[in-house]
Amino acid sequence: MRTISKQQSLTATREDYIRAIYILQESIDEVGVTQIADKLGLSKSTVSERLKDLVQDGLVIADPYSEVTLTKAGVEVGTKLTYKHRLIEVFLNTVLKIPKDEVHEEAHRLEHAVSDKVIQQLAKFLDYPENDPHGSAIPKVKKWN
């Protein structure tokens, strides 16, 4: 199993997979390839192929025809991505006054580009909000590096 080092970054596509699994695990007990494919708007075969890389990276546990779960490292990545996404949604809605039904797509694009340093400063600027504009809890991040 290869692992993602701190210096090696994940692609936006891999981040999307991890965040989709993280979000699905917030709401359902068993996450499978079908749920991930539906969430991402992809075919099950595409998801199955891409999950193999995440398994090799030590971020996901997935056996054919079984549940897909994030490893401890995968949960850390998913938590950070969700934190970034929801914090950006708060900024877009409360500071830039973008309607809450429009902030998701913008936040999705920005979550891949904004550095951890900027996110930490943004959290401080926003006084560490606890919920995004849709009412979802903003997860706590234990460590940034």
Side-chain angles (χ1 to χ4, degrees):
M1 167 184 3
R2 62 187 165 153
T3 57
I4 301 291
S5 69
K6 290 179 184 176
Q7 292 78 29
Q8 184 182 9
S9 62
L10 293 168
T11 64
T13 300
R14 287 185 180 190
E15 287 180 345
D16 287 345
Y17 276 79
I18 293 167
R19 185 156 184 282
I21 297 165
Y22 182 90
I23 297 298
L24 287 166
Q25 287 180 330
E26 284 184 324
S27 60
I28 60 176
D29 291 332
E30 288 191 21
V31 176
V33 171
T34 301
Q35 289 85 10
I36 299 166
D38 289 346
K39 178 94 175 142
L40 295 173
L42 299 169
S43 71
K44 290 189 286 186
S45 61
T46 298
V47 170
S48 293
E49 283 302 310
R50 297 246 172 97
L51 285 176
K52 290 176 186 176
D53 291 332
L54 294 173
V55 168
Q56 287 181 341
D57 291 341
L59 298 167
V60 170
I61 298 167
D63 293 316
Y65 309 106
S66 69
E67 182 178 3
V68 176
T69 58
L70 294 172
T71 64
K72 182 179 177 183
V75 169
E76 287 179 16
V77 172
T79 301
K80 279 186 178 181
L81 288 168
T82 301
Y83 181 88
K84 282 182 169 187
H85 181 96
R86 292 179 180 168
L87 191 69
I88 292 166
E89 285 185 334
V90 170
F91 176 76
L92 293 171
N93 181 247
T94 61
V95 177
L96 300 183
K97 305 298 183 202
I98 295 173
K100 72 179 182 178
D101 61 336
E102 296 177 19
V103 297
H104 178 74
E105 288 303 316
E106 284 298 325
H108 177 73
R109 283 189 284 277
L110 291 169
E111 74 192 35
H112 301 297
V114 178
S115 72
D116 291 352
K117 181 179 180 180
V118 169
I119 285 296
Q120 291 171 56
Q121 291 299 316
L122 185 59
K124 184 177 178 181
F125 173 78
L126 295 170
D127 196 25
Y128 305 97
E130 294 184 7
N131 293 39
D132 72 10
H134 311 287
S136 297
I138 297 174
K140 304 293 184 218
V141 175
K142 294 180 184 178
K143 61 181 181 176
W144 283 97
N145 297 323

